[in-house]
Amino acid sequence: MKILVFQHLDVEHPGVFSEFWKKAGHDIHTVHFNRDSTIPPLHGFDLLVVLGGPMDVWETDKNPWLIREMSAIRTWVRDLDKPYFGICLGHQLLAQALGGQVGLMKEPEVGLATIRQTEDGVHDPLFAHAPREMEIFQWHGAEVQTLPEGAVVLAANAACPMQAMRVGRHAWGLQYHVEMTATTVAEWSAIPEYRASMEKALGAERAAGLENTLAPLLPGFNAMARTLNDNLFTCVTALT
């Protein structure tokens, strides 16, 4: 299968998903918007995966490529009707590109959190074999505030009512992170915007200990990612 990845920061890569995809023999092409915004013809790919980043969807003056990226997402989902999977910023870009609205949260959500599937989430194939309540990892200060047309909420919590969504039958977005590896917290902490949001949400002491807090939970998070990945490719195969 041919996967097109939109990446916005060198350290915010597909993480553990890369291991799954390489082992399965998938062909991966990555557009690095932080240094090369050339988007290849979309027709030759089977799945579009859009990752996170420190920029916000409305910062098009500082990041003019966001306009081209959202146009490509809109073409992919609405015109080509192909499978989409977005994480964090990729979740927000999906909403914004298709007519929803993204805005700042009252407080950033960073670290461990619990989310709960909605009734739509319980019956969504992406969450097959997943528990209704899930402990997950967060690092965001913006959120989807208005859903695009044709979208349903799949998971929520009090801090962010739109933690996961599906648009139509084939486009999924997750606000939270499932791609983490053992180096994720250290790599992201080196990004000034991420460090600032982490320290604002957790305080300096808890922020300094976040990597150690996450380490024993990583095998469970990777297992969750494996389940999501398997479910995603089951959906992609059914749609293609």
Side-chain angles (χ1 to χ4, degrees), residues 10 73 76 90 97 108-109 114 127-128 130-131 138 146 154 158-159 162 175 182 191 215 217 224 228:
D10 288 342
I73 291 170
W76 180 272
E109 190 178 24
T114 299
F127 287 150
Q138 300 276 19
T146 304
L154 303 180
M162 300 179 193
Q175 182 56 72
I191 306 304
L217 303 174
M224 181 190 303
L228 279 171

Side-chain angles (χ1 to χ4, degrees), residues 5-236:
V5 176
F6 287 173
Q7 186 170 321
H8 311 99
L9 200 65
D10 288 342
V11 299
E12 199 149 357
H13 44 72
V16 71
F17 286 109
S18 292
E19 300 174 18
F20 303 153
W21 299 343
K22 290 175 184 176
K23 188 173 182 179
H26 297 307
D27 182 6
I28 306 165
H29 179 90
T30 303
V31 178
H32 297 272
F33 280 103
N34 57 317
R35 59 176 184 267
D36 178 15
S37 61
T38 301
I39 301 173
L42 299 176
H43 292 80
F45 296 93
D46 303 298
L47 171 67
L48 175 59
V49 177
V50 182
L51 303 172
M55 62 289 301
D56 288 307
V57 299
W58 55 84
E59 293 183 315
T60 53
D61 287 343
K62 291 196 299 184
N63 307 287
W65 47 262
L66 281 166
I67 297 172
R68 295 193 299 277
E69 183 177 18
M70 285 189 278
S71 177
I73 291 170
R74 189 161 46 249
T75 297
W76 180 272
V77 176
R78 294 293 194 206
D79 299 336
L80 300 179
D81 200 34
K82 289 190 171 189
Y84 177 101
F85 183 60
I87 297 174
C88 198
L89 178 62
H91 165 76
Q92 297 167 14
L93 286 167
L94 174 64
Q96 190 79 11
L98 301 185
Q101 184 176 358
V102 176
L104 287 174
M105 305 176 69
K106 292 180 180 178
E107 297 290 341
E109 190 178 24
V110 181
L112 299 174
T114 299
I115 61 171
R116 183 174 176 82
Q117 293 179 46
T118 64
E119 286 302 317
D120 285 311
V122 169
H123 300 291
D124 195 274
L126 186 67
F127 287 150
H129 312 298
R132 184 150 193 180
E133 280 196 356
M134 297 175 280
E135 186 177 37
I136 47 82
F137 184 69
Q138 300 276 19
W139 205 319
H140 67 113
E143 63 179 348
V144 176
Q145 297 178 341
T146 304
L147 290 173
E149 182 180 354
V152 294
V153 178
L154 303 180
N157 67 6
C160 177
M162 300 179 193
Q163 290 281 358
M165 68 177 178
R166 188 190 71 249
V167 183
R169 67 190 183 101
H170 64 294
W172 290 270
L174 306 181
Q175 182 56 72
Y176 54 96
H177 292 278
V178 291
E179 75 275 26
M180 301 90 64
T181 68
T183 61
T184 295
V185 173
E187 289 174 342
W188 293 2
S189 296
I191 306 304
E193 296 93 333
Y194 286 169
R195 175 168 287 279
S197 65
M198 177 176 65
E199 292 182 349
K200 181 178 180 181
L202 300 177
E205 185 175 348
R206 286 179 62 205
L210 183 58
E211 187 172 7
N212 290 334
T213 300
L214 181 63
L217 303 174
L218 196 59
F221 288 145
N222 289 166
M224 181 190 303
R226 164 61 80 179
T227 298
L228 279 171
N229 182 78
D230 291 348
N231 291 343
L232 176 64
F233 279 91
T234 297
C235 295
V236 171

